[in-house]
Amino acid sequence: MTSLKILIVEDETITAMDLRETLEEAGHTVVGVARNFQQALEFVIKYSPDLALVDIQLDGSIANGIDTAKELVARRRMPIIYLTANSEPETFQLAKQTLPAAYMLKPFRHDELKLQVELAYYSQANAINAGDFSGSQYVYLPDDEGYERVDTNDVLYLRADGAYAKVFTTSRETPYHVSTNLSHLTQYFATPNFYRLSRSLLINLTYLARIERNYLYLTGHAAPLQIPAANRKELMKKLTVVRTK
């Protein structure tokens, strides 16, 4: 069995403690217990979990578990397992639209939880191995006389360079220079965290640290990127922005 990094999103303290104990007993690492939407986003950005357990009802949170799960997956491709005390068909239908790995009713059974976690992770791994690369975690970029494996979660942004494209990552000072145009390369970065900012830029929203009127800044990248005036409004819709009066 693979030891996984797991995020728990649960507002009930006793349930969260029970989940943590069950998962750690199974050999997994709980990277954090989030009680609300904002804490969940902070944990997923900081720890890059392999899987998340999400309670659908989050009291005191600005978003419920379903909306929270959508944002988590937009920042980190991973399986989601919903936990809920609500068995109403309407809730299930809403949750189903987000393509969760499992949907478990409370009170959960410890042995069932362990099995669902393992199945969820291996189902995703097998989809990648079977050739479903539309959202694969890894791509192989040409480098010198071979191909180097790159974790898409480490990619900051892609920039068009004429008939070529440059791929900037967190772990390499110089970008990869790929002999294909950006439109073609974009299909290999199809997860929701990648956003086409303009015809010449595809950015990883996971690393978006600051937005100004005409520029944005990515974590780990000193130089600002220009935001086309016509595209700023659409970009803001992709983000959870606190509006002031």
Side-chain angles (χ1 to χ4, degrees):
M1 181 194 71
T2 301
S3 178
L4 305 177
K5 296 186 298 179
I6 299 177
L7 170 64
I8 297 173
V9 184
E10 171 62 66
D11 63 321
E12 296 179 358
T13 302
I14 294 177
T15 302
M17 291 175 61
D18 197 10
L19 288 167
R20 177 191 282 273
E21 183 178 339
T22 300
L23 294 170
E24 291 180 343
E25 183 182 89
H28 303 300
T29 299
V30 175
V31 297
V33 177
R35 295 178 57 87
N36 55 47
F37 173 84
Q38 191 57 46
Q39 289 178 357
L41 292 189
E42 291 172 1
F43 279 128
V44 80
I45 292 172
K46 184 175 182 180
Y47 294 110
S48 298
D50 299 309
L51 180 146
L53 297 175
V54 182
D55 183 14
I56 289 180
Q57 182 65 42
L58 297 174
D59 293 336
S61 176
I62 62 173
N64 62 28
I66 296 174
D67 290 335
T68 298
K70 291 178 183 177
E71 291 298 325
L72 295 183
V73 174
R75 288 160 172 76
R76 170 75 176 179
R77 182 175 183 261
M78 60 181 170
I80 298 292
I81 295 178
Y82 285 123
L83 296 169
T84 181
N86 188 343
S87 59
E88 294 180 358
E90 294 82 359
T91 301
F92 174 72
Q93 291 302 323
L94 289 173
K96 187 173 69 172
Q97 293 175 14
T98 65
L99 304 178
Y103 186 94
M104 298 182 62
L105 296 177
K106 297 179 181 179
F108 68 90
R109 292 182 295 174
H110 296 77
D111 289 341
E112 182 185 4
L113 175 64
K114 295 174 184 178
L115 292 174
Q116 291 293 355
V117 165
E118 190 166 355
L119 283 173
Y121 180 75
Y122 280 101
S123 292
Q124 175 176 277
N126 287 335
I128 293 174
N129 290 335
D132 179 12
F133 296 107
S134 61
S136 176
Q137 182 178 348
Y138 299 103
V139 294
Y140 288 80
L141 297 178
D143 185 43
D144 294 330
E145 297 181 359
Y147 293 86
E148 184 170 337
R149 189 179 77 166
V150 175
D151 189 333
T152 58
N153 293 305
D154 292 333
V155 173
L156 289 168
Y157 69 99
L158 295 81
R159 182 193 291 276
D161 185 19
Y164 294 82
K166 292 182 178 179
V167 181
F168 295 79
T169 67
T170 61
S171 56
R172 177 168 159 153
E173 292 185 4
T174 58
Y176 293 91
H177 205 205
V178 185
S179 58
T180 187
N181 60 56
L182 182 61
S183 294
H184 176 75
L185 192 59
T186 294
Q187 67 181 310
Y188 297 96
F189 297 85
T191 49
N193 53 308
F194 283 96
Y195 176 70
R196 189 73 178 265
L197 182 64
S198 67
R199 294 182 64 182
S200 61
L201 282 174
L202 179 74
I203 65 171
N204 188 343
L205 294 175
T206 302
Y207 294 99
L208 182 54
R210 179 180 174 82
I211 299 177
E212 297 179 355
R213 180 173 295 276
N214 299 315
Y215 295 94
L216 61 81
Y217 296 81
L218 300 177
T219 301
H221 188 73
L225 301 178
Q226 188 169 9
I227 305 173
N231 297 355
R232 189 177 191 279
K233 185 176 180 180
E234 287 302 315
L235 172 62
M236 298 299 285
K237 289 180 181 179
K238 289 285 184 180
L239 310 174
T240 304
V241 180
V242 177
R243 306 289 182 178
T244 55
K245 296 181 179 179

